[in-house]
Amino acid sequence: MAKLGDVSEIAFSGVDKKKIDGEIPIQLCNYTDVFYNRLIRPEIDFMKATATPRECKRWGLRRGDVLFTKDSETPDEIGIAAYVTENMPNVLCGYHLGMARPRTGVLDGKFLTEALGSQASRREFARIANGITRFGLTLDSTRSLPILLPPLSEQRAIAAVLDAINETIEHIELVISATECLGDALLHELLTRGIPGWHNEWREVPGLGTLPRGWRIAKLGDLAEVVMGQSPPSRTVSDWDENERHKDGLPFIQGNAEFASAHPEPKKWCNEPLKVAEFGDTLISVRAPVGETNRANRRIAIGRGLAAIRFSRIHSGFGWYFVNHAKPEFMRVAQGSTFYAIGRDDLNGLTVALPPLAEQQAIARVLDSNQLASNTAKSACTKVALMKVAIADALLSGRIRPPPMMTERSGFSL
């Protein structure tokens, strides 16, 4: 067991973001650069600023440095760390950041980065952070932070294992990003051009562009029932309890707080459901933020700010994707002074380019397949991230020791 200040040089930067005539032009590594990047590399688009010669000498980044957030609006955002991959004398550690420079031969920078991100360190940072509206570390408390210190070879082995898991997570995130980009492109292409190879005749439709000739133009109100949410009296609403039996009530959602997850999760029960979404209905937020969508995964009461679109005369899957594709149109017609909103007429009047039923089904299958791939990748990413937390906790606490063969070699791949 060691104190962080005994095995590394700890300092808090005071280099600000100003540009002052006569000072040296530099790049500044800021709070967000550390918060959103595990590794600090030269290719990051750092802010341009100026600094004095003394600041340049003191705060230029070196390979092996560990930068960390030293203050924030919430305690859980303090101590977020990032590792500097190479010497960058023209990139300076900026204000709101701390720098730990490990002692050579005693502490490995990558190991320290993982140690600062461990559950034990996160709890300790939250405990020692001072503040009411903004929380921060003191230099003395940071230097006194306890750290378990295995031999240097074991530090490097632990860091290599966790680094390999981090790289796996980043690769999966790239797959997710590519899949979502593909999904956006497919959504636009399929809903305006149809299934490739199915059409060889086209027509121009004002406001919609070039469409397959066999498609017809309709209004959403002619294809679906629109149910606008309505807030019930407060006396009829109670807190959600998964184990409680409600004879006459329904789970109830209102607004977007319950709307952000993969499925809308209710927080309340309503005993007098005035407006109801059925299983499979497309849910849409009709008040700011306008156009957010979800699917009802149960029979549910909906409050003001939401609407349910029930497709009864077209394929429901095609309808779901069409509503997602139409979000720019919702934003265009939204009105309001203090906040934007759309109404029933806006939804009913939305123009739909409608292919025949067989093509609606085919389009929905293609987009469903892409969505499944994205969801699978997200699930895998979540599982690997949880696995990393467990493995890091075991390795950094010493409950599990790397085998000797791992401490004798320089690298590790997953």
Side-chain angles (χ1 to χ4, degrees), residues 149-378:
L149 200 67
L152 189 61
S153 60
E154 189 170 337
Q155 293 177 38
R156 289 171 175 161
I158 290 172
V161 172
L162 299 180
D163 200 43
I165 300 176
N166 287 328
E167 290 179 0
T168 300
I169 293 172
E170 290 168 359
H171 287 316
I172 299 174
E173 288 174 342
L174 287 174
V175 172
I176 294 171
S177 178
T179 305
E180 290 180 342
C181 287
L182 175 61
D184 291 340
L186 282 172
L187 186 64
H188 176 76
E189 185 70 14
L190 293 173
L191 293 180
T192 58
R193 307 289 290 179
I195 299 292
W198 283 35
H199 305 282
N200 51 26
E201 295 185 5
W202 309 87
R203 61 172 174 147
E204 291 294 324
V205 178
L208 296 179
T210 304
L211 298 175
R213 183 169 295 278
W215 289 18
R216 67 186 180 93
I217 307 303
K219 296 296 183 182
L220 183 65
D222 298 327
L223 307 173
E225 177 187 357
V226 175
V227 179
M228 302 297 292
Q230 180 180 350
S231 297
S234 58
R235 60 179 173 79
T236 67
V237 177
S238 58
D239 289 336
W240 169 271
D241 185 345
E242 188 70 47
N243 299 317
E244 188 175 342
R245 298 282 184 178
H246 293 261
K247 291 183 179 179
D248 303 318
L250 282 177
F252 172 70
I253 61 171
Q254 177 169 308
N256 294 291
E258 304 92 343
F259 210 61
S261 60
H263 294 291
E265 294 299 331
K267 300 289 191 299
K268 301 285 185 180
W269 277 98
C270 176
N271 291 324
E272 293 184 14
L274 303 179
K275 300 295 180 180
V276 175
E278 301 292 347
F279 175 83
D281 284 355
T282 293
L283 301 176
I284 182 170
S285 59
V286 294
R287 301 177 64 161
V290 171
E292 296 298 319
T293 57
N294 216 316
R295 269 173 161 164
N297 62 344
R298 65 185 88 193
R299 195 166 189 262
I300 195 166
I302 56 173
R304 188 180 181 192
L306 296 178
I309 303 175
R310 190 167 303 143
F311 291 100
S312 55
R313 292 177 282 281
I314 64 172
H315 188 269
S316 61
F318 175 85
W320 156 256
Y321 288 113
F322 167 77
V323 172
N324 280 274
H325 183 251
K327 185 173 181 178
E329 181 64 15
F330 294 137
M331 298 301 297
R332 188 185 69 80
V333 301
Q335 299 180 357
S337 54
T338 57
F339 60 85
Y340 288 102
I342 54 176
R344 185 193 304 272
D345 290 343
D346 297 317
L347 292 171
N348 283 332
L350 193 66
T351 302
V352 182
L354 191 65
L357 180 59
E359 192 167 7
Q360 294 175 36
Q361 295 169 335
I363 289 172
R365 283 196 299 270
V366 172
L367 295 173
D368 282 345
S369 177
N370 179 266
Q371 188 62 58
L372 177 61
S374 178
N375 291 342
T376 301
K378 289 177 181 177

Side-chain angles (χ1 to χ4, degrees), residues 6-174:
D6 293 338
V7 292
S8 63
E9 177 190 353
I10 305 295
F12 288 174
S13 172
V15 183
D16 60 35
K17 303 177 181 179
K18 296 178 182 178
K19 290 184 178 180
I20 299 176
D21 290 342
E23 290 189 344
I24 301 171
I26 54 99
Q27 298 181 77
L28 200 62
C29 181
N30 284 316
Y31 182 101
T32 52
D33 298 319
V34 171
F35 192 88
Y36 292 109
N37 293 283
R38 179 175 63 90
L39 302 174
I40 302 300
R41 298 184 173 106
E43 53 265 31
I44 293 176
D45 186 19
F46 297 108
M47 171 182 280
K48 305 295 188 295
T50 63
T52 65
R54 182 178 180 181
E55 288 174 328
C56 292
K57 183 178 179 180
R58 175 67 183 88
W59 296 106
L61 301 187
R62 299 181 193 172
R63 185 178 186 273
D65 286 347
V66 178
L67 308 183
F68 58 92
T69 58
K70 67 180 180 65
D71 52 61
S72 183
E73 294 177 356
T74 58
D76 59 344
E77 292 182 351
I78 292 175
I80 305 296
Y83 176 78
V84 178
T85 61
E86 57 188 88
N87 293 332
M88 292 178 273
N90 194 48
V91 180
L92 272 57
C93 175
Y95 189 63
H96 293 305
L97 293 176
M99 175 190 286
R101 185 160 284 167
R103 285 175 53 192
T104 304
V106 176
L107 179 63
D108 179 76
K110 286 190 174 182
F111 172 83
L112 176 59
T113 304
E114 295 294 346
L116 293 179
S118 69
Q119 292 179 308
S121 293
R122 310 296 311 140
R123 288 192 295 267
E124 186 65 15
F125 280 128
R127 186 186 70 81
I128 63 178
N130 298 318
I132 299 175
T133 58
R134 189 170 183 87
F135 299 84
L137 301 171
T138 66
L139 202 52
D140 287 342
S141 63
T142 305
R143 286 170 175 162
S144 299
L145 186 76
I147 179 172
L148 283 170
L149 200 67
L152 189 61
S153 60
E154 189 170 337
Q155 293 177 38
R156 289 171 175 161
I158 290 172
V161 172
L162 299 180
D163 200 43
I165 300 176
N166 287 328
E167 290 179 0
T168 300
I169 293 172
E170 290 168 359
H171 287 316
I172 299 174
E173 288 174 342
L174 287 174

